Amino acid sequence: MGGSPHALAPIPLVAVPVALGLGCELAGWLTLAGGSNLLLAVHLLALGLLVFPLLGMGWQLLPVLATRPPSRLERDASIAITVLAILGAAGLVGGMAGPFSATAPFALALPVALMGRSAVAVLTVAKAPGRLGIRAWIAAAELTLLGGAVLGGALYLQRAGVPLGFSPPSTIAVHAALMALGWGGGNITGFAALLFPMFAIAREPADRLLVPAGALWFVGILGWMPPIFGLGALAAALLLGASLRGRGPLGPGLVLAGVAQLGLLATAAAWTLERPFPEVVALAAALWILPLRVGVALRIVPFLAWANWLSDHPKRSPAPAALVPTRLAWVLVGAVLTGGALVVTGTTLPAFLPVGALVLATATLLLVATLGTILSRAFFANLRAGGLAGTESP
């Protein structure tokens, strides 16, 4: 997966946040379908689609970008940050599930944890060799987090009764843009520029193109200039789309990743055309971030399972792609795209929203089943490959 073959993070450090993210995502779609607490649903989905996936996969992808395994200090910091983030997420959910509970103050641990992760990420990319464009995207995304996290903490305190004087609607829109488009979108795009060429066996986007695309993207967000962001999004989508046109087979993972670039363009167009910001957020979550995250998971999880369990005996092990249950993965693709389209339609025709949310809750369960199948196939393949010749189980 590029760089050092030993640049693998400890499995629990990656798996625990990813699993928690899937749980939050499922709870978020079900809460959205019920329509009882929109604020809780949105934050559950933020935890499930952005915070925990970027936390868990980031601990693996940062060493890949740095082309070296994490140091002992980095691992200890990663563990502490992950624990703090879990504590903060529990407080956030507790504080939004109803009247502020005793757990609510712990929510402030979440922005602290994310800023700690940003410090680790920025130091890592600063010392990483080459790939200036990718490193610039990730560093800019992490610096954008500072504003988003501070605003989020301030909004939470104001909801708790601290009179900070913020105007909730406008401040919420800025917070959402900084977190979803800036931090989340910047990290997703930067890591996609690293991963897509690996998956598709293609060249990475050139630094001379990635850097100006990132400049447009982040200047558009920080200056609240949607057309400028739109130009950056168009450039990023073209560069990532070109990275998918390699020599590798498409498959469900790369198809979803490609469709996600259309979702990115739709998100940028909606913001540029001054559509209501909830519609922009829905497009970003349901037709860009979700398909891309699922698509990447369908490619990276088989590789990580193979690298951790099967790489010691490659001649007696199946290839990573053979671990994927193809039919189930294609059903997952259909559920993700159908549910995403219904959720976005539901921002203007509310009757479609609960239906789309239920479809995406089903898609989350399908993703869990798909990933479980991949991991079980790798586990049993490891048992067979590790047995004595002639004693393997059929």
Side-chain angles (χ1 to χ4, degrees), residues 1 53-54 57-58 60-62 64-65 117 125 131 133-139 141 183-207 210 217-218 233 235-246 253-254 256-262 264 288-297 299-300:
M1 202 168 102
L54 284 177
M57 292 310 303
Q60 177 55 74
L61 294 176
L62 286 170
V64 171
L65 183 60
R117 179 198 174 276
V125 300
R131 289 171 169 154
I134 294 172
R135 291 191 291 130
W137 268 86
I138 293 171
W183 179 64
N187 266 297
I188 287 169
T189 304
F191 283 128
L194 174 70
L195 293 173
F196 283 11
M198 296 180 186
F199 295 156
I201 315 177
R203 289 186 177 181
E204 292 180 2
D207 290 339
L210 266 181
W217 180 292
F218 289 103
L238 291 174
L239 290 171
L240 293 181
S243 295
L244 293 173
R245 297 176 57 193
L254 292 192
L256 267 184
V259 172
Q261 303 318 303
L262 300 178
L264 168 58
W288 168 35
I289 294 171
L290 176 62
L292 193 146
R293 195 212 59 180
V294 173
V296 168
R299 295 305 300 264
I300 198 171

Side-chain angles (χ1 to χ4, degrees), residues 181 220 224-234 264-277 279-280 283:
L181 304 180
W224 204 260
M225 295 182 286
I228 302 300
F229 169 77
L231 291 174
L234 175 61
L264 168 58
L265 294 178
T267 300
W271 194 24
T272 300
L273 295 173
E274 298 183 348
R275 298 293 301 170
F277 207 72
E279 182 178 327
V280 177
L283 276 164

Side-chain angles (χ1 to χ4, degrees), residues 99-387:
F100 264 43
S101 65
T103 64
F106 292 104
L108 297 178
L110 183 58
V112 173
L114 293 181
M115 286 188 282
R117 179 198 174 276
S118 287
V120 173
V122 170
L123 289 174
T124 300
V125 300
K127 295 186 291 184
R131 289 171 169 154
L132 174 63
I134 294 172
R135 291 191 291 130
W137 268 86
I138 293 171
E142 295 301 336
L143 294 174
T144 304
L145 170 76
L146 180 62
V150 169
L151 277 181
L155 286 166
Y156 197 74
L157 287 173
Q158 184 161 285
R159 184 173 184 269
V162 180
L164 296 177
F166 285 108
S167 170
S170 58
T171 307
I172 288 171
V174 174
H175 167 65
L178 290 173
M179 294 301 293
L181 304 180
W183 179 64
N187 266 297
I188 287 169
T189 304
F191 283 128
L194 174 70
L195 293 173
F196 283 11
M198 296 180 186
F199 295 156
I201 315 177
R203 289 186 177 181
E204 292 180 2
D207 290 339
R208 68 179 185 279
L209 301 176
L210 266 181
V211 170
L216 291 168
W217 180 292
F218 289 103
V219 167
I221 294 170
L222 296 175
W224 204 260
M225 295 182 286
I228 302 300
F229 169 77
L231 291 174
L234 175 61
L238 291 174
L239 290 171
L240 293 181
S243 295
L244 293 173
R245 297 176 57 193
R247 300 188 302 277
L250 273 180
L254 292 192
V255 166
L256 267 184
V259 172
Q261 303 318 303
L262 300 178
L264 168 58
L265 294 178
T267 300
W271 194 24
T272 300
L273 295 173
E274 298 183 348
R275 298 293 301 170
F277 207 72
E279 182 178 327
V280 177
V281 173
L283 276 164
L287 290 180
W288 168 35
I289 294 171
L290 176 62
L292 193 146
R293 195 212 59 180
V294 173
V296 168
L298 291 177
R299 295 305 300 264
I300 198 171
V301 171
F303 175 83
L304 291 177
W306 188 92
N308 278 285
W309 292 335
L310 301 172
S311 59
D312 289 340
H313 28 70
K315 293 183 179 179
R316 302 176 63 191
S317 301
L323 301 174
V324 180
T326 306
R327 291 182 181 177
L328 182 58
W330 281 116
V331 173
L332 171 61
V333 170
V336 167
L337 297 180
T338 301
L342 288 170
V343 164
V344 171
T345 303
T347 59
T348 52
L349 298 173
F352 287 91
L353 189 59
V355 179
L358 286 174
V359 173
L360 289 181
T362 304
T364 304
L365 294 174
L366 288 171
L367 177 58
V368 171
T370 303
L371 298 183
T373 302
I374 291 169
L375 295 176
S376 65
R377 287 183 175 181
F379 175 77
F380 287 112
N382 179 50
L383 291 181
R384 289 192 296 270

